[in-house]
Amino acid sequence: MGMPGSGISLLLKELSTSDIGHAVYVDVFGLPELTSTALFRALGSSLNVAIAKSADQTGLLQACLEKLEQLTKTHGKVVVYFAGFDQLAPAMDAPMLQGLQSLARSCNGNVKLLFGLCVSLKKLIPDHLF
């Protein structure tokens, strides 16, 4: 977690090039809309999954899980980096969180999720100190 402008997204992008495991980078700031469907569509795109334009969140999630299964067989570990995840706060709902939980629990624990959050100082520091 860091302040806006501190380079959290850049750090996650750089980490995604390390040899920790097969890396997948999803930039929430680049989503066309801040929805769970857009998030899972971007994840599928980062995983190089061919997804129909009409696919719903369930179909997108299933395609991502299948691809992650393939990747863990080849690479052992897969690390998924979500930059700007805090931008999705208005879209957070049970299906999105359940989908992320499914990703985290998939492949016998060989899929790890890292979330980059940017929080303004105004939200961290009480008003009387700000």
Side-chain angles (χ1 to χ4, degrees), residues 81-107:
Y81 299 88
F82 293 98
F85 190 74
D86 56 296
Q87 300 299 305
L88 288 168
M92 286 286 167
D93 59 7
M96 178 191 285
L97 295 175
Q98 288 168 345
L100 291 169
Q101 196 171 41
S102 294
L103 294 173
R105 291 183 175 167
S106 67
C107 308

Side-chain angles (χ1 to χ4, degrees), residues 71-82:
L71 289 171
T72 56
K73 286 179 181 173
T74 306
H75 300 284
K77 299 257 186 228
V78 177
V79 182
V80 182
Y81 299 88
F82 293 98

Side-chain angles (χ1 to χ4, degrees), residues 10-113:
L10 293 174
L11 172 67
L12 290 177
K13 189 164 187 145
E14 184 64 28
L15 280 174
S16 73
T17 64
S18 71
D19 61 355
I20 295 171
H22 181 79
V24 179
Y25 179 77
V26 178
D27 187 358
V28 173
F29 293 107
L31 296 179
E33 57 187 9
L34 296 175
T35 64
S36 56
T37 301
L39 176 68
F40 290 111
R41 186 172 298 284
L43 176 59
S45 177
S46 294
L47 290 167
N48 295 316
V49 174
I51 300 171
K53 291 185 188 242
S54 61
D56 64 358
Q57 182 175 324
T58 304
L60 293 166
L61 180 61
Q62 187 59 40
C64 291
L65 288 169
E66 289 170 8
K67 182 64 175 194
L68 288 169
E69 176 98 15
Q70 292 172 2
L71 289 171
T72 56
K73 286 179 181 173
T74 306
H75 300 284
K77 299 257 186 228
V78 177
V79 182
V80 182
Y81 299 88
F82 293 98
F85 190 74
D86 56 296
Q87 300 299 305
L88 288 168
M92 286 286 167
D93 59 7
M96 178 191 285
L97 295 175
Q98 288 168 345
L100 291 169
Q101 196 171 41
S102 294
L103 294 173
R105 291 183 175 167
S106 67
C107 308
N108 296 319
N110 289 322
V111 174
K112 304 298 180 196
L113 307 179

